[in-house]
């Protein structure tokens, strides 16, 4: 099935204390199946807001968002929840693991209350193995390093086999060595599993390692280019 994401004149504004702030302005964008894309720009440029709109975590003020040619911002909250479960995985800078659950339980969390055709625990164990933490199944988040927590968060984002992985500053809270491990994991998911990856970063060197780089400033896309990688 076609998983292209398309934005048509997408805009987002926030109202506060009588002041309207236009965070995103007239975004027109097409993201093709299986792309590996970075979003870069200064703080306040709208990168994270756009990622939230693309993943349907937030609603645009105006414009239209399409996934696979179908408009999704017309869906009700229940339909959107089902849509996200079938299509989108999220990775956040702050990890957002549930502190009272083990690593294994955190990975299984998106499946709670869902009927699926596979064994939930087995799927979670396989993902824990994939991110290199099989021995941490029963560890609580407080017993894990930042890098280990991020790897658990990646496994959690993948447990429902999304078509797109959306990562907001996935290496932002990590040291350079751990950040490289996380980057390599995202890259492998894209290359080996065909999962589309969109990641927000402040790091120009990291942004340049994507296949496509989208630069933002003041709520607008100011550059959109294919990145040439030299062997």
């Amino acid at each position: 099935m076609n998983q292209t994401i398309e934005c048509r004149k997408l805009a987002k504004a926030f109202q506060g204390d009588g002041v309207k702030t236009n965070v995103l302005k007239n975004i027109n964008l097409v993201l093709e199946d299986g792309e590996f894309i970075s979003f870069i720009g200064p703080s306040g440029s709208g990168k994270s807001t756009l990622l939230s709109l693309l993943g349907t975590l937030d609603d645009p003020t105006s414009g239209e968002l399409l996934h696979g040619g179908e408009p999704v911002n017309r869906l009700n909250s229940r339909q959107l929840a089902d849509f996200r479960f079938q299509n989108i995985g999220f990775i956040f800078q702050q990890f957002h693991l549930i502190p009272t659950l083990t690593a294994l339980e955190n990975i299984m969390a998106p499946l709670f209350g869902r009927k699926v055709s596979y064994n939930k625990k087995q799927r979670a164990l396989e993902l824990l193995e994939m991110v290199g933490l099989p021995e941490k199944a029963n560890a609580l988040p407080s017993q894990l390093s930042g890098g280990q927590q991020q790897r658990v968060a990646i496994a959690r984002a993948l447990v429902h086999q999304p078509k797109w992985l959306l990562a907001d500053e996935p290496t932002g809270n990590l040291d350079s060595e751990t950040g490289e491990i996380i980057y390599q994991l995202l890259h492998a998911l894209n290359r080996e599993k065909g999962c589309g990856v969109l990641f927000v970063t402040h790091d120009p060197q990291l942004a340049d390692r994507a296949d496509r780089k989208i630069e933002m400033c003041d709520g607008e896309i100011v550059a959109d280019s294919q990145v040439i990688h030299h062997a």
Side-chain angles (χ1 to χ4, degrees):
M1 179 185 170
N2 172 24
Q3 292 299 326
T4 297
I5 300 175
E6 184 178 356
C7 304
R8 295 179 180 171
K9 297 184 178 180
L10 214 60
K12 182 68 178 180
F14 293 106
Q15 192 84 29
D17 297 326
V19 178
K20 183 181 178 183
T21 304
N22 294 307
V23 183
L24 289 176
K25 310 164 191 170
N26 202 38
I27 301 291
N28 292 293
L29 189 61
V30 177
L31 310 171
E32 302 288 354
D33 288 24
E35 284 197 281
F36 191 60
I37 305 171
S38 63
F39 289 83
I40 191 167
S43 295
S45 59
K47 305 182 302 295
S48 294
T49 301
L50 179 56
L51 206 67
S52 291
L53 294 184
L54 293 174
T56 73
L57 288 179
D58 199 1
D59 298 320
T61 306
S62 61
E64 197 162 46
L65 175 69
L66 298 94
H67 274 258
E70 296 295 323
V72 294
N73 46 313
R74 299 176 192 171
L75 302 177
N76 62 38
S77 56
R78 178 60 186 270
Q79 291 170 324
L80 275 174
D82 288 341
F83 170 81
R84 281 192 294 271
F85 182 76
Q86 292 162 10
N87 295 282
I88 310 288
F90 294 97
I91 305 167
F92 304 98
Q93 183 177 359
Q94 304 295 340
F95 317 137
H96 292 312
L97 300 180
I98 300 169
T100 55
L101 299 184
T102 65
L104 187 67
E105 290 166 340
N106 264 287
I107 295 169
M108 293 171 63
L111 305 179
F112 293 165
R114 292 274 182 180
K115 290 184 178 180
V116 293
S117 60
Y118 45 83
N119 182 291
K120 296 176 182 180
K121 184 176 181 180
Q122 187 60 38
R123 168 66 58 80
L125 284 169
E126 288 170 0
L127 286 165
L128 208 51
E129 179 83 38
M130 188 198 76
V131 298
L133 296 173
E135 75 287 357
K136 299 294 185 180
N138 296 315
L140 294 171
S142 60
Q143 298 169 315
L144 301 172
S145 69
Q148 289 171 335
Q149 289 185 59
Q150 189 61 297
R151 282 190 268 171
V152 170
I154 291 173
R156 178 187 58 190
L158 293 170
V159 74
H160 53 294
Q161 295 183 310
K163 315 297 188 302
W164 286 94
L165 202 56
L166 277 53
D168 194 358
E169 294 279 358
T171 64
N173 278 339
L174 307 174
D175 62 80
S176 57
E177 185 178 345
T178 308
E180 177 64 20
I181 292 170
I182 298 303
Y183 168 80
Q184 292 293 348
L185 193 52
L186 295 177
H187 192 255
L189 286 168
N190 176 257
R191 293 296 189 266
E192 297 166 17
K193 306 289 185 183
C195 182
V197 175
L198 310 177
F199 68 93
V200 163
T201 183
H202 278 100
D203 183 343
Q205 290 181 314
L206 190 62
D208 284 341
R209 294 172 72 181
D211 296 329
R212 179 180 173 190
K213 181 173 68 172
I214 295 172
E215 299 177 57
M216 298 187 67
C217 187
D218 296 331
E220 297 180 291
I221 293 172
V222 294
D224 182 353
S225 57
Q226 298 296 320
V227 181
I228 299 172
H229 298 287
H230 300 286

